[in-house]
Amino acid sequence: MIHPPVPVNEKERLKALHQLNILDTDPEEEFDNITELASYICGMPISMITLVDETKQWFKSKIGTEMCDSGRDISFCSHAILEPENFMEVKDTHKDERFKDNPFVNAGKDSIRYYAGVPLVNGTGMALGTLCVIDTKVNKLNKRQIKALKALAKQVEALFEARHKNYLLEEARQDLDDHNTLLKDFAGVVSHDMKMPLAHMVLTADVIKKKYGDLLGEEGIKYLDQLKKSGLNLSDYITGILNHYESEKIATSALEEIDLHNLLEDIIDLLGIEEDCEINFPKKNVNIKVNRSALEQILLNLISNSLKYNDKEKIIIDIDFKETPKFYTFTIQDNGIGIRQEEQKNIFKLFSTLSVIDRKGNKGHGIGLSTVKKLVTNLGGTVKFESELEKGTKFTFTVQAT
């Protein structure tokens, strides 16, 4: 018996093999289908997909044998991978110097008497193992069978490549998830740490204005008002960031049964509306079972935008609701300034802002609608809108009904 030598590119070959992350994994139907086809097409009782590691050959799939692996030094496949570009066929192992004293060749009635293997090669030319067929009697393959076995080997290689790409994608996704988690934690910590100093800044501006306003004069008062306005804007911005990154937590809150009109009234109270405004609720009040926190955040953002981005003397907001067995559908329509056509494709992107200022002269932060979409998606729904400049906007969103 001749032991197989180590390939000249063994270090690189083993690295490529281990990058597949396939050794000692569970059976998979895609691979088992190929070994079954190989056995059937070649008329052989045994077929295997083998991978040659440092010390052993391991079978990713096998038909006709109960073995899980064997020593590399006595494996037929360790010889086959020495010539990655060639098909290896041993018609009678008793007449081949490499194998005639092999323990598998002298194992009684289950002895290997015939072997044919196609090396499985990756994209860089590394032979990782073989697709092989085995018989307990002298045999040979015809040209059509050899061609079919090679074609099946190509399919195994394609599965290996797809598996490797999926692993890399999963690894990249995990890295992105880890970085996203770090970013969320950072944003949360920084935002919380900034809220208190900002509150003190706004309060201090009010105190200075009240106690020393006469001394400061009109110009000094103007600077204090600007300082307070900037502090409040930054505080709103930070609140928006916190709401955006905490939206996933909100979306996992427990479901509860709510009165829709009561929920809307609570939201209107939170907004503290001072403008001349008419808000029309759905004609029919209903009780629905939903994630109250998430739905409240969605409606709060949309109704708030209808108030802010409105230049009409009287603001009109129509809220409607429809129910199907699978979804609750909400619409919020206003008579506001509308959204420019060229800006409509980006309104749900985080930090994407419109080129307009709101009713109080402030520019948006581009967080609210991104949060709305994130919450709606987490609730199993979709959100869309229609808008016409100077005439208004209608948002329609769904959430899964229970």
Side-chain angles (χ1 to χ4, degrees), residues 260-261 264 280-285 319-321:
L260 181 56
H261 280 192
L264 292 171
N280 300 308
F281 287 4
K283 292 180 180 179
K284 182 181 178 181
N285 190 22
I319 303 171
D320 200 7
F321 171 83

Side-chain angles (χ1 to χ4, degrees), residues 273-328:
I273 301 170
E274 298 176 353
E275 297 84 358
D276 183 6
C277 180
E278 176 185 319
I279 299 180
N280 300 308
F281 287 4
K283 292 180 180 179
K284 182 181 178 181
N285 190 22
V286 292
N287 286 332
I288 54 176
K289 192 172 184 180
V290 292
N291 179 330
R292 180 192 172 99
S293 299
L295 181 59
E296 185 174 65
Q297 187 67 50
I298 295 166
L299 292 169
L300 191 62
N301 272 294
L302 293 177
I303 297 172
S304 176
N305 280 350
S306 291
L307 291 167
K308 290 192 296 184
Y309 296 100
N310 199 308
D311 57 357
K312 306 301 187 296
E313 186 175 336
K314 181 174 183 177
I315 299 171
I316 299 175
I317 302 173
D318 295 316
I319 303 171
D320 200 7
F321 171 83
K322 292 181 181 178
E323 182 178 359
T324 67
K326 292 185 178 181
F327 291 98
Y328 299 136

Side-chain angles (χ1 to χ4, degrees), residues 35-63:
T35 50
E36 191 168 351
L37 271 173
S39 174
Y40 175 78
I41 291 170
C42 297
M44 303 286 172
I46 300 171
S47 176
M48 297 182 290
I49 294 171
T50 73
L51 293 163
V52 180
D53 200 352
E54 290 96 334
T55 60
K56 67 179 181 180
Q57 69 168 354
W58 176 76
F59 309 140
K60 175 57 184 173
S61 176
K62 57 184 185 291
I63 295 292

Side-chain angles (χ1 to χ4, degrees), residues 85-344:
E85 69 282 359
N86 294 329
F87 165 72
M88 174 176 156
E89 184 176 39
V90 182
K91 297 175 183 177
D92 186 350
T93 57
H94 287 184
K95 296 179 180 180
D96 192 303
E97 291 295 324
R98 294 171 295 178
F99 306 113
K100 65 180 184 180
D101 296 325
N102 188 294
F104 290 124
V105 174
N106 300 287
K109 63 183 181 68
D110 294 323
S111 297
I112 296 176
R113 195 72 187 271
Y114 173 85
Y115 172 91
V118 181
L120 301 172
V121 181
N122 76 350
T124 60
M126 303 295 164
L128 309 178
T130 71
L131 171 63
C132 63
V133 290
I134 293 171
D135 204 345
T136 56
K137 64 180 186 297
V138 175
N139 211 328
K140 70 175 182 177
L141 298 179
N142 60 41
K143 290 182 179 180
R144 294 185 67 181
Q145 289 173 319
I146 293 172
K147 184 177 180 180
L149 191 62
K150 289 180 178 179
L152 289 173
K154 289 294 181 186
Q155 292 302 307
V156 177
E157 291 171 356
L159 286 175
F160 283 169
E161 180 65 18
R163 183 188 185 91
H164 182 54
K165 288 180 178 178
N166 286 339
Y167 175 78
L168 293 177
L169 286 172
E170 179 60 27
E171 198 173 49
R173 187 195 65 79
Q174 187 59 54
D175 285 343
L176 286 174
D177 285 347
D178 292 343
H179 281 94
N180 194 37
T181 299
L182 288 173
L183 180 60
K184 288 179 182 179
D185 292 343
F186 175 76
V189 170
V190 171
S191 299
H192 280 296
D193 288 349
M194 289 179 68
K195 290 280 282 185
M196 188 58 70
L198 281 171
H200 284 306
M201 185 175 78
V202 171
L203 181 60
T204 301
D206 282 337
V207 171
I208 293 173
K209 182 178 178 180
K210 185 175 181 180
K211 293 184 70 174
Y212 305 106
D214 294 338
L215 299 175
L216 292 172
E218 290 186 10
E219 189 172 2
I221 295 296
K222 179 181 176 182
Y223 289 143
L224 282 176
D225 288 342
Q226 289 176 349
L227 178 65
K228 179 179 178 180
K229 182 178 179 181
S230 296
L232 290 172
N233 282 339
L234 186 53
S235 181
D236 288 343
Y237 184 68
I238 291 170
T239 299
I241 291 175
L242 287 171
N243 288 337
H244 181 81
Y245 284 115
E246 291 175 356
S247 60
E248 290 181 5
K249 295 179 183 178
I250 294 173
T252 59
S253 300
L255 301 180
E256 54 183 296
E257 190 168 311
I258 62 169
D259 179 295
L260 181 56
H261 280 192
N262 284 344
L263 174 66
L264 292 171
E265 286 169 0
D266 289 343
I267 291 172
I268 302 306
D269 289 340
L270 283 172
L271 290 168
I273 301 170
E274 298 176 353
E275 297 84 358
D276 183 6
C277 180
E278 176 185 319
I279 299 180
N280 300 308
F281 287 4
K283 292 180 180 179
K284 182 181 178 181
N285 190 22
V286 292
N287 286 332
I288 54 176
K289 192 172 184 180
V290 292
N291 179 330
R292 180 192 172 99
S293 299
L295 181 59
E296 185 174 65
Q297 187 67 50
I298 295 166
L299 292 169
L300 191 62
N301 272 294
L302 293 177
I303 297 172
S304 176
N305 280 350
S306 291
L307 291 167
K308 290 192 296 184
Y309 296 100
N310 199 308
D311 57 357
K312 306 301 187 296
E313 186 175 336
K314 181 174 183 177
I315 299 171
I316 299 175
I317 302 173
D318 295 316
I319 303 171
D320 200 7
F321 171 83
K322 292 181 181 178
E323 182 178 359
T324 67
K326 292 185 178 181
F327 291 98
Y328 299 136
T329 301
F330 298 84
T331 60
I332 293 88
Q333 184 167 2
D334 62 53
N335 64 336
I337 61 177
I339 305 169
R340 296 179 186 276
Q341 186 69 36
E342 61 269 22
E343 295 179 322
Q344 292 185 9

Side-chain angles (χ1 to χ4, degrees), residues 244-245 346-352 365-367 370-371:
H244 181 81
Y245 284 115
N346 295 320
I347 68 168
F348 291 116
K349 292 181 180 179
L350 185 60
F351 303 128
S352 175
H365 303 303
I367 300 173
S370 175
T371 303

Side-chain angles (χ1 to χ4, degrees), residues 255 289-290 325-328 376 378-381 398-402:
L255 301 180
K289 192 172 184 180
V290 292
K326 292 185 178 181
F327 291 98
Y328 299 136
V376 169
N378 287 337
L379 295 178
T398 62
V399 300
Q400 281 189 344
T402 56

